[in-house]
Amino acid sequence: MSQVEKKAGLLRRTSSSKKPLKEKVVLMYDEIFAKEDPAKNNPRFWDELFLMKVNLEYLESKLESVDGEEVQRIQDNINALFHHCVQALAEEHQIKVVNALQTLCALFRGVHQKNKSASGFDIINMLMGFDKAEQRMKDLMERLDSLLCGEGSESLKSLCLKLLLCLVTVTDNISQNTILEYVMINSIFEAILQILSDASSRGQHGYDAVVLLALLVNYRKYESVNPYIVKLSIVDDEPTLDGMGMVLHQALTEYNRQYKDKEEENQGGFFSTLTSMVGNMFIADAEEKLSVQTNEAILLALYEAVHLNRNFIAVLAQSHPELDMAATSTTPTSTTPTTPLGTTPPALDMMNNPELPLDPNLQTSNLLITFLKYASIVMQDTKDEHRLNSAKLCLIILTCIAEDQYADAFLHDDNMNFRVTLHRMPMRHRKKTIDKNVPSRPLVCAVLDLMVEFIVTHMMKDFPMDLYLRCVQIIHKLLCYQKKCRIRLHYTWRELWSALINLLKFLLSNETTLLAKHNIFQLALLVVNLFNMFITYGDTFLPTSNSYDELYYEIVRMHQVFDNLYCMVLRVSTNTGQWKEPASKVTHALVNIRAIINHFNPKIESYAAVNHISQLSEEQVLEVVRSNYDTLTLKLQDGLDQFERYSEQPKEAAFFKELVRSISLNVRKNVSLNTLSQDILLKEFSTIS
């Protein structure tokens, strides 16, 4: 049977000369699309319609095929269909409720598909009649709220969320969806919170609930007061915030598990043997195969929670056992008719059972650790647009965390130590090995490791300047907190210094290419000022005096890079051109680094000459450094421990607008009210009835 025949709901051909029969629901749809009132000759028309299994494809295609003149002719019938759908949601007969929800979804999608260029007011008028729209949407939202908060079927709750997701994502640009004004007025925020605070409903509907909330928060967020933003920012109920954290944690954990499974799959078999034979020349191709679809919707939900609600920061550090999901996974039989949106839903429903016995030998985890592991995966490959957006959003989230005093307190807390195994990008000069003996350290060490890893692995032709700027700024904000609170963090600072010097080296080597696209002086200034932070305030936050000596050793050892940088910025700043001012800022910022190099280099050369040593050891250079601090003169530089706080508007507004558009398209694609789910629902409610 052809696709057209399927859409039309054709049952069979009795003979080659006779037309195929149509199923009854299709005949009833045809009556709606005729000019006459379908209930005129059949008073029970609407009762009967909602007892029929919905033919979504036919109804949507019929709505899409209606032209301008026909719209006017059948508008009263479409309005009546919408009205009776809303009324049917209050029916005790559950099959009627199911069919009404699915019909509403078809109405929203079909009318929007046909009228993409129409104004929001025209669409509202066609769906429900502009004069009655306020009352119709009030009734609809109240009934959806009642279904979501009631004791009824979990399948119906799932269907309500699917309908809401369908409604929110029918337009490419969520802020152009005028119907959402009624969703703002008749808020379902409390219903979403109730789902998240209850362990049972959270397990089945938590994913869709947080995605829905993230999208609603982004409706006209810069143009008017969005009640979902206001309400999310003041939530202080612990079970609700914990519930939201569990949903986000599970979704990210599932992503990490899928990646780990693929990684292990690729490490075995023929491919592994081949790469060991021919070296690492195919490593990049291997990584391509490890791509797991990113989940930007969950990242957006995490961002909104962290950015808007200060109370949510505590949820990031909420500890619980880190379970081997593959070993403990028990997938409960869900009555949910369709899978959650975006990537695969969580396999282990820890959201149903948050209270697990703590084994003293069991490694504990939290949402922040899971997020850092997720970030270490998506930040590896930023060539794909979705992964680039995910990497950027990860760094924006970390920026918000690094600026928060409470978050900084638990990041640096010596009593909260964790082993965090980050994923490392395979590179030709190093093997991709996962360190099984990661030390237990404060969480800030894992954040710094992630930043160092990114700096080292993305010095490439298509240079991600924006990500580098964010990365270096996160490090700076963490150092400002350490300086302010005099926290002496035991960290391998030399790895950071080495990464930063290599970054400067890369900028110098690719000056011409990079300057055609980027202001490299902005990044160079940030890097130089990180060194100035260590030089000026390092004695207050570096763990030992030896660490301070090692800083000077690295600067002197790599003096050629700083000398070359000075020559380059001096050249650019003495010429007229667009880079004159930013280059001169770097020139001034290098004053203390140059003073250190010019002070210690002659001393080291003199020491070598006097002792007849052609090449000094590290310990000998350190001895010269320690002996000559007294005669070193440095300038006090202002503002090194100051930074501009993150602000979404106006700088990031364009990014979030495009991100939400991308998420909305993906959610729309995944809202699947297909025949299979209909059969499951109808079977469930037939047995109930």
Side-chain angles (χ1 to χ4, degrees):
M1 192 179 285
S2 72
Q3 193 63 36
V4 177
E5 288 172 335
K6 280 182 186 175
K7 279 190 179 183
L10 306 185
L11 297 178
R12 66 182 183 276
R13 289 184 180 276
T14 52
S15 73
S16 57
S17 61
K18 290 184 180 179
K19 286 185 178 178
L21 298 175
K22 289 185 178 181
E23 56 182 301
K24 187 175 179 182
V25 74
V26 168
L27 293 169
M28 296 182 85
Y29 291 153
D30 288 344
E31 286 187 60
I32 294 169
F33 285 88
K35 190 177 179 181
E36 294 294 320
D37 177 2
K40 188 177 179 181
N41 298 321
N42 178 8
R44 289 187 49 78
F45 179 87
W46 298 111
D47 279 336
E48 289 174 10
L49 178 68
F50 294 113
L51 288 170
M52 302 282 164
K53 179 181 169 182
V54 180
N55 188 323
L56 288 163
E57 277 191 272
Y58 184 76
L59 182 53
E60 281 185 50
S61 63
K62 195 80 176 168
L63 285 161
E64 288 174 35
S65 66
V66 177
D67 62 29
E69 286 182 15
E70 278 185 288
V71 169
Q72 301 297 322
R73 189 167 54 81
I74 63 161
Q75 185 178 310
D76 287 347
N77 286 355
I78 299 295
N79 292 173
L81 175 58
F82 189 94
H83 173 54
H84 284 95
C85 281
V86 175
Q87 281 192 318
L89 296 183
E91 291 271 4
E92 286 186 19
H93 202 310
Q94 301 283 274
I95 284 180
K96 285 187 175 183
V97 181
V98 170
N99 289 329
L101 287 166
Q102 294 188 321
T103 304
L104 281 167
C105 191
L107 271 173
F108 285 129
R109 287 199 297 214
V111 169
H112 276 90
Q113 277 299 110
K114 173 64 184 173
N115 301 278
K116 283 185 176 178
S117 59
S119 74
F121 299 109
D122 289 338
I123 285 172
I124 290 167
N125 198 36
M126 184 181 175
L127 273 171
M128 56 197 99
F130 201 72
D131 55 333
K132 296 172 185 171
E134 197 170 321
Q135 188 58 48
R136 295 280 183 268
M137 284 303 295
K138 183 175 184 289
D139 293 343
L140 172 61
M141 297 309 292
E142 282 178 357
R143 279 163 195 179
L144 289 175
D145 187 85
S146 177
L147 287 166
L148 287 170
C149 297
E151 296 294 319
S153 157
E154 296 302 329
S155 296
L156 276 185
K157 290 182 183 182
S158 176
L159 208 50
C160 288
L161 287 168
K162 293 286 189 272
L163 172 62
L164 286 163
L165 285 165
C166 172
L167 169 57
V168 171
T169 60
V170 283
T171 54
D172 291 353
N173 181 347
I174 191 172
S175 295
Q176 289 175 353
N177 186 352
T178 314
I179 297 177
L180 293 188
E181 285 298 329
Y182 300 111
V183 183
M184 297 294 120
I185 297 163
N186 305 287
S187 174
I188 47 150
F189 184 80
E190 285 70 24
I192 293 172
L193 291 200
Q194 186 172 314
I195 288 168
L196 295 174
S197 61
D198 178 73
S200 175
S201 64
R202 178 172 67 239
Q204 296 191 62
H205 315 299
Y207 190 98
D208 284 355
V210 294
V211 171
L212 176 63
L213 181 57
L215 289 168
L216 288 170
V217 160
N218 280 277
Y219 174 73
R220 296 185 181 171
K221 69 191 314 191
Y222 310 120
E223 300 155 39
S224 57
V225 177
N226 180 322
Y228 290 85
I229 292 178
V230 176
K231 289 179 178 182
L232 179 58
S233 66
I234 57 173
V235 175
D236 58 0
D237 179 60
E238 212 173 300
T240 304
L241 292 171
D242 288 347
M244 189 185 296
M246 284 179 193
V247 174
L248 297 171
H249 176 263
Q250 276 309 110
L252 295 176
T253 299
E254 178 61 20
Y255 179 96
N256 295 347
R257 186 192 63 76
Q258 286 179 21
Y259 181 85
K260 190 179 174 187
D261 288 350
K262 279 201 172 190
E263 194 175 45
E264 287 171 358
E265 210 176 285
N266 273 32
Q267 282 171 357
F270 172 75
F271 186 85
S272 177
T273 311
L274 181 67
T275 47
S276 63
M277 285 162 56
V278 298
N280 293 334
M281 61 188 287
F282 297 120
I283 265 176
D285 296 332
E287 275 312 285
E288 293 292 320
K289 295 178 186 176
L290 292 186
S291 295
V292 180
Q293 184 192 349
T294 54
N295 194 335
E296 289 148 321
I298 283 294
L299 264 193
L300 180 67
L302 175 59
Y303 164 75
E304 297 296 356
V306 168
H307 180 233
L308 294 174
N309 191 302
R310 289 218 58 210
N311 300 312
F312 189 79
I313 292 290
V315 176
L316 293 173
Q318 199 84 39
S319 293
H320 55 75
E322 183 176 61
L323 302 175
D324 181 353
M325 292 187 68
T328 57
S329 177
T330 53
T331 311
T333 306
S334 173
T335 54
T336 308
T338 50
T339 57
L341 311 168
T343 54
T344 312
L348 172 66
D349 193 10
M350 255 181 61
M351 297 179 275
N352 276 337
N353 185 21
E355 298 300 324
L356 292 163
L358 279 170
D359 180 341
N361 300 314
L362 192 66
Q363 163 72 358
T364 54
S365 183
N366 57 41
L367 176 54
L368 182 57
I369 291 172
T370 306
F371 166 67
L372 289 172
K373 289 181 179 180
Y374 176 90
S376 73
I377 296 168
V378 298
M379 285 167 64
Q380 285 183 28
D381 176 19
T382 55
K383 289 169 190 164
D384 166 73
E385 187 187 354
H386 288 288
R387 295 174 83 81
L388 181 67
N389 286 341
S390 286
K392 182 171 178 174
L393 191 47
C394 285
L395 289 172
I396 290 174
I397 292 167
L398 283 171
T399 300
C400 294
I401 291 169
E403 285 183 9
D404 186 276
Q405 294 292 301
Y406 180 79
D408 281 328
F410 73 68
L411 280 175
H412 292 84
D413 191 342
D414 256 337
N415 298 313
M416 287 178 63
N417 291 342
F418 295 90
R419 290 185 180 87
V420 184
T421 308
L422 300 175
H423 294 266
R424 284 158 61 87
M425 192 168 165
M427 298 178 76
R428 286 186 177 85
H429 63 272
R430 71 176 189 193
K431 288 185 177 179
K432 183 172 183 177
T433 54
I434 295 175
D435 190 354
K436 302 288 183 185
N437 301 310
V438 178
S440 192
R441 304 173 296 172
L443 279 172
V444 69
C445 296
V447 178
L448 290 168
D449 283 349
L450 183 62
M451 298 301 99
V452 169
E453 176 67 10
F454 180 83
I455 291 169
V456 169
T457 55
H458 288 76
M459 293 181 235
M460 53 196 179
K461 190 178 176 183
D462 191 11
F463 189 70
M465 175 62 81
D466 178 67
L467 301 188
Y468 267 96
L469 290 169
R470 293 175 193 278
C471 193
V472 176
Q473 285 167 341
I474 289 165
I475 296 168
H476 178 237
K477 284 166 186 178
L478 294 172
L479 291 183
C480 288
Y481 178 80
Q482 290 166 25
K483 177 255 173 185
K484 178 186 168 188
C485 299
R486 295 182 170 264
I487 293 167
R488 297 190 180 276
L489 184 69
H490 288 272
Y491 182 70
T492 49
W493 291 111
R494 284 180 88 159
E495 286 185 14
L496 171 62
W497 300 329
S498 174
L500 293 171
I501 291 169
N502 283 328
L503 175 56
L504 290 176
K505 202 172 177 180
F506 175 81
L507 295 179
L508 288 165
S509 304
N510 297 275
E511 176 196 344
T512 310
T513 313
L514 292 173
L515 269 179
K517 295 180 183 177
H518 310 290
N519 175 5
I520 61 172
F521 304 104
Q522 184 186 5
L523 179 58
L525 181 64
L526 288 172
V527 172
V528 169
N529 278 338
L530 277 188
F531 278 103
N532 286 330
M533 273 285 287
F534 282 106
I535 293 164
T536 310
Y537 302 117
D539 58 331
T540 66
F541 64 83
L542 285 171
T544 62
S545 58
N546 281 348
S547 302
Y548 197 71
D549 301 337
E550 286 168 2
L551 166 68
Y552 279 64
Y553 172 78
E554 283 300 314
I555 291 170
V556 172
R557 186 175 73 87
M558 300 301 290
H559 71 89
Q560 196 64 56
V561 175
F562 294 106
D563 291 342
N564 292 345
L565 176 63
Y566 181 73
C567 290
M568 190 264 274
V569 293
L570 190 64
R571 167 172 49 81
V572 175
S573 63
T574 50
N575 294 325
T576 54
Q578 69 177 116
W579 306 120
K580 181 181 173 71
E581 192 181 336
S584 68
K585 287 181 182 176
V586 182
T587 311
H588 296 308
L590 281 165
V591 61
N592 280 342
I593 292 174
R594 294 192 70 245
I596 290 167
I597 292 166
N598 294 334
H599 177 74
F600 286 108
N601 259 353
K603 301 280 192 295
I604 291 164
E605 287 167 12
S606 171
Y607 180 91
V610 168
N611 292 283
H612 307 291
I613 303 169
S614 58
Q615 198 167 353
L616 299 184
S617 67
E618 181 179 331
E619 195 47 54
Q620 287 169 326
V621 173
L622 285 170
E623 184 54 44
V624 175
V625 168
R626 291 186 193 108
S627 308
N628 290 280
Y629 276 134
D630 293 347
T631 51
L632 173 66
T633 306
L634 297 175
K635 287 187 177 178
L636 186 63
Q637 293 175 307
D638 294 327
L640 291 174
D641 57 345
Q642 305 296 313
F643 57 80
E644 185 183 348
R645 292 190 69 81
Y646 170 79
S647 173
E648 184 183 314
Q649 169 77 340
K651 285 185 179 178
E652 312 296 348
F655 167 71
F656 280 102
K657 185 179 175 184
E658 282 308 307
L659 181 74
V660 172
R661 180 191 291 268
S662 170
I663 291 168
S664 185
L665 288 168
N666 192 43
V667 169
R668 187 199 308 167
K669 189 173 68 179
N670 284 284
V671 174
S672 173
L673 297 166
N674 53 36
T675 311
L676 176 63
S677 66
Q678 283 181 276
D679 290 342
I680 293 169
L681 284 161
L682 294 174
K683 186 179 178 183
E684 179 186 339
F685 294 118
S686 297
T687 54
I688 291 171
S689 308

PDB file of all heavy atoms in Angstrom, residues 335-354:
ATOM      1  N   THR A 335       6.030   2.499  31.671  1.00  0.00           N
ATOM      2  CA  THR A 335       4.769   2.653  30.948  1.00  0.00           C
ATOM      3  C   THR A 335       4.821   3.871  30.034  1.00  0.00           C
ATOM      4  O   THR A 335       3.885   4.165  29.343  1.00  0.00           O
ATOM      5  CB  THR A 335       3.608   2.841  31.950  1.00  0.00           C
ATOM      6  OG1 THR A 335       3.933   3.934  32.812  1.00  0.00           O
ATOM      7  CG2 THR A 335       3.364   1.602  32.753  1.00  0.00           C
ATOM      8  N   THR A 336       5.952   4.585  30.065  1.00  0.00           N
ATOM      9  CA  THR A 336       6.083   5.756  29.215  1.00  0.00           C
ATOM     10  C   THR A 336       6.034   5.330  27.754  1.00  0.00           C
ATOM     11  O   THR A 336       6.791   4.464  27.348  1.00  0.00           O
ATOM     12  CB  THR A 336       7.428   6.461  29.499  1.00  0.00           C
ATOM     13  OG1 THR A 336       7.514   6.682  30.899  1.00  0.00           O
ATOM     14  CG2 THR A 336       7.528   7.782  28.764  1.00  0.00           C
ATOM     15  N   PRO A 337       5.152   5.942  26.954  1.00  0.00           N
ATOM     16  CA  PRO A 337       4.984   5.481  25.596  1.00  0.00           C
ATOM     17  C   PRO A 337       6.144   5.785  24.666  1.00  0.00           C
ATOM     18  O   PRO A 337       6.356   5.098  23.708  1.00  0.00           O
ATOM     19  CB  PRO A 337       3.731   6.227  25.117  1.00  0.00           C
ATOM     20  CG  PRO A 337       3.636   7.420  25.989  1.00  0.00           C
ATOM     21  CD  PRO A 337       4.230   7.023  27.287  1.00  0.00           C
ATOM     22  N   THR A 338       6.899   6.822  24.954  1.00  0.00           N
ATOM     23  CA  THR A 338       8.018   7.153  24.082  1.00  0.00           C
ATOM     24  C   THR A 338       9.247   7.433  24.920  1.00  0.00           C
ATOM     25  O   THR A 338       9.158   7.807  26.070  1.00  0.00           O
ATOM     26  CB  THR A 338       7.706   8.415  23.248  1.00  0.00           C
ATOM     27  OG1 THR A 338       7.247   9.428  24.129  1.00  0.00           O
ATOM     28  CG2 THR A 338       6.646   8.139  22.202  1.00  0.00           C
ATOM     29  N   THR A 339      10.414   7.267  24.315  1.00  0.00           N
ATOM     30  CA  THR A 339      11.658   7.493  25.044  1.00  0.00           C
ATOM     31  C   THR A 339      11.888   8.973  25.241  1.00  0.00           C
ATOM     32  O   THR A 339      11.447   9.779  24.444  1.00  0.00           O
ATOM     33  CB  THR A 339      12.857   6.914  24.271  1.00  0.00           C
ATOM     34  OG1 THR A 339      12.871   7.533  22.985  1.00  0.00           O
ATOM     35  CG2 THR A 339      12.771   5.430  24.148  1.00  0.00           C
ATOM     36  N   PRO A 340      12.627   9.349  26.327  1.00  0.00           N
ATOM     37  CA  PRO A 340      12.946  10.753  26.513  1.00  0.00           C
ATOM     38  C   PRO A 340      13.703  11.316  25.318  1.00  0.00           C
ATOM     39  O   PRO A 340      14.277  10.580  24.532  1.00  0.00           O
ATOM     40  CB  PRO A 340      13.826  10.748  27.768  1.00  0.00           C
ATOM     41  CG  PRO A 340      13.366   9.544  28.509  1.00  0.00           C
ATOM     42  CD  PRO A 340      13.029   8.536  27.451  1.00  0.00           C
ATOM     43  N   LEU A 341      13.728  12.655  25.253  1.00  0.00           N
ATOM     44  CA  LEU A 341      14.241  13.311  24.060  1.00  0.00           C
ATOM     45  C   LEU A 341      15.747  13.432  24.079  1.00  0.00           C
ATOM     46  O   LEU A 341      16.386  13.290  25.089  1.00  0.00           O
ATOM     47  CB  LEU A 341      13.613  14.705  23.980  1.00  0.00           C
ATOM     48  CG  LEU A 341      12.102  14.672  24.168  1.00  0.00           C
ATOM     49  CD1 LEU A 341      11.568  16.062  24.384  1.00  0.00           C
ATOM     50  CD2 LEU A 341      11.441  14.042  22.970  1.00  0.00           C
ATOM     51  N   GLY A 342      16.286  13.771  22.916  1.00  0.00           N
ATOM     52  CA  GLY A 342      17.721  13.988  22.817  1.00  0.00           C
ATOM     53  C   GLY A 342      18.424  12.670  22.674  1.00  0.00           C
ATOM     54  O   GLY A 342      18.110  11.864  21.819  1.00  0.00           O
ATOM     55  N   THR A 343      19.389  12.392  23.541  1.00  0.00           N
ATOM     56  CA  THR A 343      20.115  11.132  23.465  1.00  0.00           C
ATOM     57  C   THR A 343      19.366  10.066  24.246  1.00  0.00           C
ATOM     58  O   THR A 343      18.302  10.292  24.799  1.00  0.00           O
ATOM     59  CB  THR A 343      21.532  11.296  24.031  1.00  0.00           C
ATOM     60  OG1 THR A 343      21.407  11.839  25.340  1.00  0.00           O
ATOM     61  CG2 THR A 343      22.357  12.235  23.174  1.00  0.00           C
ATOM     62  N   THR A 344      19.951   8.889  24.308  1.00  0.00           N
ATOM     63  CA  THR A 344      19.321   7.764  24.990  1.00  0.00           C
ATOM     64  C   THR A 344      19.060   8.103  26.449  1.00  0.00           C
ATOM     65  O   THR A 344      19.905   8.698  27.102  1.00  0.00           O
ATOM     66  CB  THR A 344      20.258   6.540  24.927  1.00  0.00           C
ATOM     67  OG1 THR A 344      20.697   6.414  23.581  1.00  0.00           O
ATOM     68  CG2 THR A 344      19.561   5.281  25.367  1.00  0.00           C
ATOM     69  N   PRO A 345      17.896   7.733  26.986  1.00  0.00           N
ATOM     70  CA  PRO A 345      17.602   8.041  28.390  1.00  0.00           C
ATOM     71  C   PRO A 345      18.465   7.220  29.332  1.00  0.00           C
ATOM     72  O   PRO A 345      19.055   6.222  28.923  1.00  0.00           O
ATOM     73  CB  PRO A 345      16.127   7.645  28.525  1.00  0.00           C
ATOM     74  CG  PRO A 345      15.923   6.616  27.480  1.00  0.00           C
ATOM     75  CD  PRO A 345      16.820   7.005  26.344  1.00  0.00           C
ATOM     76  N   PRO A 346      18.558   7.620  30.596  1.00  0.00           N
ATOM     77  CA  PRO A 346      19.366   6.887  31.559  1.00  0.00           C
ATOM     78  C   PRO A 346      18.964   5.423  31.664  1.00  0.00           C
ATOM     79  O   PRO A 346      17.793   5.088  31.680  1.00  0.00           O
ATOM     80  CB  PRO A 346      19.098   7.621  32.879  1.00  0.00           C
ATOM     81  CG  PRO A 346      18.690   8.984  32.466  1.00  0.00           C
ATOM     82  CD  PRO A 346      17.974   8.825  31.166  1.00  0.00           C
ATOM     83  N   ALA A 347      19.990   4.562  31.728  1.00  0.00           N
ATOM     84  CA  ALA A 347      19.718   3.135  31.818  1.00  0.00           C
ATOM     85  C   ALA A 347      19.473   2.726  33.273  1.00  0.00           C
ATOM     86  O   ALA A 347      18.700   1.838  33.563  1.00  0.00           O
ATOM     87  CB  ALA A 347      20.906   2.356  31.259  1.00  0.00           C
ATOM     88  N   LEU A 348      20.158   3.381  34.182  1.00  0.00           N
ATOM     89  CA  LEU A 348      20.012   3.040  35.604  1.00  0.00           C
ATOM     90  C   LEU A 348      19.167   4.098  36.283  1.00  0.00           C
ATOM     91  O   LEU A 348      19.510   5.259  36.283  1.00  0.00           O
ATOM     92  CB  LEU A 348      21.389   2.986  36.273  1.00  0.00           C
ATOM     93  CG  LEU A 348      21.373   2.823  37.792  1.00  0.00           C
ATOM     94  CD1 LEU A 348      20.814   1.471  38.175  1.00  0.00           C
ATOM     95  CD2 LEU A 348      22.743   3.009  38.364  1.00  0.00           C
ATOM     96  N   ASP A 349      18.068   3.677  36.873  1.00  0.00           N
ATOM     97  CA  ASP A 349      17.171   4.677  37.454  1.00  0.00           C
ATOM     98  C   ASP A 349      17.509   4.927  38.915  1.00  0.00           C
ATOM     99  O   ASP A 349      16.760   4.578  39.808  1.00  0.00           O
ATOM    100  CB  ASP A 349      15.726   4.220  37.284  1.00  0.00           C
ATOM    101  CG  ASP A 349      14.768   5.353  37.589  1.00  0.00           C
ATOM    102  OD1 ASP A 349      15.216   6.493  37.732  1.00  0.00           O
ATOM    103  OD2 ASP A 349      13.577   5.078  37.699  1.00  0.00           O
ATOM    104  N   MET A 350      18.662   5.537  39.140  1.00  0.00           N
ATOM    105  CA  MET A 350      19.028   5.910  40.504  1.00  0.00           C
ATOM    106  C   MET A 350      18.118   6.996  41.035  1.00  0.00           C
ATOM    107  O   MET A 350      18.024   7.229  42.228  1.00  0.00           O
ATOM    108  CB  MET A 350      20.469   6.405  40.531  1.00  0.00           C
ATOM    109  CG  MET A 350      21.421   5.409  41.123  1.00  0.00           C
ATOM    110  SD  MET A 350      23.073   6.075  41.150  1.00  0.00           S
ATOM    111  CE  MET A 350      22.851   7.495  42.202  1.00  0.00           C
ATOM    112  N   MET A 351      17.449   7.687  40.098  1.00  0.00           N
ATOM    113  CA  MET A 351      16.548   8.761  40.516  1.00  0.00           C
ATOM    114  C   MET A 351      15.408   8.208  41.353  1.00  0.00           C
ATOM    115  O   MET A 351      14.808   8.896  42.146  1.00  0.00           O
ATOM    116  CB  MET A 351      16.000   9.481  39.279  1.00  0.00           C
ATOM    117  CG  MET A 351      17.093  10.157  38.475  1.00  0.00           C
ATOM    118  SD  MET A 351      16.458  10.978  37.015  1.00  0.00           S
ATOM    119  CE  MET A 351      16.400   9.651  35.833  1.00  0.00           C
ATOM    120  N   ASN A 352      15.095   6.927  41.154  1.00  0.00           N
ATOM    121  CA  ASN A 352      14.040   6.295  41.940  1.00  0.00           C
ATOM    122  C   ASN A 352      14.529   5.880  43.314  1.00  0.00           C
ATOM    123  O   ASN A 352      13.759   5.628  44.208  1.00  0.00           O
ATOM    124  CB  ASN A 352      13.524   5.044  41.216  1.00  0.00           C
ATOM    125  CG  ASN A 352      12.474   5.396  40.182  1.00  0.00           C
ATOM    126  OD1 ASN A 352      11.846   6.438  40.279  1.00  0.00           O
ATOM    127  ND2 ASN A 352      12.303   4.537  39.202  1.00  0.00           N
ATOM    128  N   ASN A 353      15.867   5.736  43.437  1.00  0.00           N
ATOM    129  CA  ASN A 353      16.410   5.194  44.671  1.00  0.00           C
ATOM    130  C   ASN A 353      17.648   5.979  45.097  1.00  0.00           C
ATOM    131  O   ASN A 353      18.754   5.476  45.025  1.00  0.00           O
ATOM    132  CB  ASN A 353      16.760   3.707  44.456  1.00  0.00           C
ATOM    133  CG  ASN A 353      17.228   3.053  45.744  1.00  0.00           C
ATOM    134  OD1 ASN A 353      16.938   3.534  46.830  1.00  0.00           O
ATOM    135  ND2 ASN A 353      17.977   1.971  45.621  1.00  0.00           N
ATOM    136  N   PRO A 354      17.461   7.225  45.523  1.00  0.00           N
ATOM    137  CA  PRO A 354      18.610   8.045  45.870  1.00  0.00           C
ATOM    138  C   PRO A 354      19.329   7.593  47.134  1.00  0.00           C
ATOM    139  O   PRO A 354      20.500   7.842  47.309  1.00  0.00           O
ATOM    140  CB  PRO A 354      18.010   9.438  46.051  1.00  0.00           C
ATOM    141  CG  PRO A 354      16.575   9.194  46.411  1.00  0.00           C
ATOM    142  CD  PRO A 354      16.183   7.926  45.722  1.00  0.00           C
TER     143      PRO A 354
END
